[in-house]
Amino acid sequence: MSKQKSATTAKHFDDLPGSARVGSDVARVIFDVKALSTLWRWEKEGRLPPSKKVAGSRFKSWSAGELRAVLNGGVK
């Protein structure tokens, strides 16, 4: 996903349904994180819920609802 598309998706993050899948590029924008390794470290530490691979995809993602829960004060 391009940086511009990630930024646009992040801008409209609150409009996404809770079941929408959000990739690491969007998550980095939402959490204002520069390094991808920070997201994986946060996941390992429990600050982010576990990411999942959707069937047929090689990329991991989170549900928008799970990330909203983190933004509102806790994991899930």
Side-chain angles (χ1 to χ4, degrees):
M1 183 180 289
S2 71
K3 286 184 180 185
Q4 184 177 6
K5 189 171 181 180
S6 297
T8 301
T9 302
K11 182 179 177 181
H12 298 288
F13 178 71
D14 290 333
D15 299 331
L16 294 174
S19 61
R21 301 304 298 175
V22 177
S24 57
D25 290 343
V26 175
R28 285 177 35 206
V29 173
I30 293 166
F31 290 104
D32 194 28
V33 171
K34 302 242 185 276
L36 183 59
S37 59
T38 301
L39 290 179
W40 305 136
R41 187 179 70 246
W42 286 1
E43 181 179 345
K44 186 176 179 180
E45 293 171 351
R47 292 176 63 180
L48 289 178
S51 58
K52 297 175 185 152
K53 282 189 180 180
V54 176
S57 174
R58 61 184 195 164
F59 301 105
K60 290 184 165 188
S61 61
W62 293 268
S63 76
E66 290 175 333
L67 294 183
R68 275 193 206 101
V70 172
L71 290 170
N72 291 325
V75 174
K76 271 189 175 177

